[in-house]
Amino acid sequence: MLKPIKLANKNFLSSLNTSSEELFYILEMAKNLKNKNSNFEFKNKVLGLIFDKSSTRTRVSFQVAMSRLGGTTVDLNPTTSQIGRGEPIRDTARVLSRYCDVLAIRTFKQSDLEEYAKWSSKPVINALTDIEHPCQALADYMTIKEEFVDFKNVVLTFIGDGNNVANSLILCGALLGVEVRIACPKGYEPNSLVIKKAYEIYKDKDLLKITNDPIKAVFGANVIYTDVWSSMGEENKKAEKDKLFNGYTVDNDLVSKAEKDVIILHCLPAYRSKEITDEVIESKKSRIFEQAENRLHVQQALLACLLS
Ligand code: CP
Ligand code: NVA
């Protein structure tokens, strides 16, 4: 069993907060944890969860991960705490970090998450913002590694909105040396800063491709990944985006153009028959529920490292 290591960065606000070596280590630790029970002891350690947006997987997998480490979780519902009343982040962060040993925060603006981290004396984890979902990317690459053993010849194609999930897949993929292709409608490309950073990490390797053509993008793909077309906070754009994203549905026809060994990923929750068909979710190629399970293992490894 690999032991938790102290990470160079106190926080996990972005996929870029870990080095490539640290990332590989976390993935290996998560694999160990999946196969056996851990003997790490984090008794009396407390994780605080602050979720400004809904969640099933992230909330529950963090709670179970902390419980398996021997610690406990406090779920701070913004509507019943003073957060919902508008208490400043700098006050909330200073107070909560005197009670809790680590905080996982799901919110809208990345800058709000950074404000929490600035004022918190304890590690802060990004449990999803409008810009990134780095815990999701850890589970995604763990699932890909389980299937293909290493990342050398893996082509990952993400079809849909260049959103938080796509941004973290790009950054984490760049650190792990994976070829990542994004196929999205014009104007819905991933964050330009994220793209710039990824190109810097890949250096002279031509491994990041952004296109508007989903068919071209799946040719040669070993992994097809999709996510909702309208993320949380974009409810008012749903009707417009549903029209614009016509042609970007991951269906059997699109899947048949990829490599024979292709697997299908989706971070969930999914809108069946919008970004992905029912048939593809339920197909033999789908690893979507393994991917959801892996959230637990990667977050347990991450928590153990951040608490060490
Ligand atoms: N994939 C994911 O983060 O799911 P939840 O919104 O249910 O946490
Ligand atoms: N892009 C989605 C991911 C949900 C897990 C959202 O932000 O709503």
Side-chain angles (χ1 to χ4, degrees), residues 51 53-61 106 127-128 133 136 165 225 227 232 266-269 292 295 299:
F51 278 46
K53 295 175 175 174
S54 306
S55 169
T56 299
R57 280 144 288 268
T58 310
R59 185 196 302 279
V60 178
S61 56
R106 170 169 287 199
L128 181 148
H133 197 1
Q136 180 68 53
V165 168
Y225 194 130
D227 181 21
M232 290 179 276
H266 189 307
C267 58
L268 298 176
R295 296 292 305 277
Q299 284 160 205

Side-chain angles (χ1 to χ4, degrees), residues 72-289:
T72 52
T73 308
V74 186
D75 195 349
L76 295 147
N77 181 343
T79 57
T80 52
S81 67
Q82 306 288 11
I83 298 169
R85 195 174 143 269
E87 184 168 7
I89 291 174
R90 62 181 185 277
D91 294 353
T92 308
R94 277 180 288 182
V95 172
L96 291 180
S97 60
R98 284 169 185 249
Y99 306 143
C100 300
D101 300 285
V102 54
L103 298 171
I105 301 172
R106 170 169 287 199
T107 192
F108 294 84
K109 292 190 208 148
Q110 184 78 16
S111 57
D112 283 348
L113 181 78
E114 283 161 6
E115 175 82 353
Y116 271 109
K118 180 178 165 189
W119 293 98
S120 166
S121 55
K122 303 287 168 48
V124 173
I125 299 173
N126 182 347
L128 181 148
T129 62
D130 291 347
I131 299 294
E132 271 205 62
H133 197 1
C135 295
Q136 180 68 53
L138 290 178
D140 303 340
Y141 285 106
M142 176 178 179
T143 314
I144 294 169
K145 203 162 181 288
E146 283 177 335
E147 193 71 28
F148 299 105
V149 186
D150 64 42
F151 298 119
K152 272 189 204 107
N153 298 310
V154 173
V155 175
L156 161 61
T157 298
F158 179 94
I159 311 272
D161 189 29
N163 61 15
N164 43 9
V165 168
N167 288 334
S168 290
L169 276 176
I170 290 175
L171 293 174
C172 200
L175 289 169
L176 297 170
V178 183
E179 174 168 345
V180 178
R181 303 176 187 167
I182 309 287
C184 54
K186 247 191 169 42
Y188 292 91
E189 288 81 9
N191 181 282
S192 56
L193 265 177
V194 164
I195 296 176
K196 190 171 165 272
K197 292 253 190 231
Y199 282 138
E200 282 167 20
I201 298 168
Y202 282 123
K203 292 194 182 117
D204 48 348
K205 291 192 211 117
D206 185 24
L207 291 180
L208 174 62
K209 286 154 191 145
I210 318 284
T211 170
N212 305 125
D213 184 348
I215 295 174
K216 209 173 106 189
V218 295
F219 186 75
N222 312 99
V223 183
I224 298 180
Y225 194 130
T226 188
D227 181 21
V228 291
W229 292 337
S230 302
S231 287
M232 290 179 276
E234 294 191 323
E235 289 74 15
N236 59 343
K237 295 188 186 156
K238 208 162 178 294
E240 183 197 344
K241 284 182 98 174
D242 279 355
K243 273 195 220 144
L244 264 162
F245 281 69
N246 189 15
Y248 288 82
T249 302
V250 175
D251 57 14
N252 275 340
D253 186 42
L254 194 64
V255 171
S256 72
K257 298 184 185 355
E259 287 295 292
K260 278 211 168 59
D261 65 355
V262 70
I263 60 164
I264 310 298
L265 299 182
H266 189 307
C267 58
L268 298 176
Y271 284 103
R272 290 170 189 241
S273 82
K274 290 275 171 62
E275 76 273 6
I276 190 164
T277 61
D278 200 54
E279 276 177 323
V280 173
I281 293 189
E282 302 298 343
S283 74
K284 285 208 176 98
K285 293 181 182 301
S286 167
R287 297 291 178 278
I288 292 172
F289 295 98

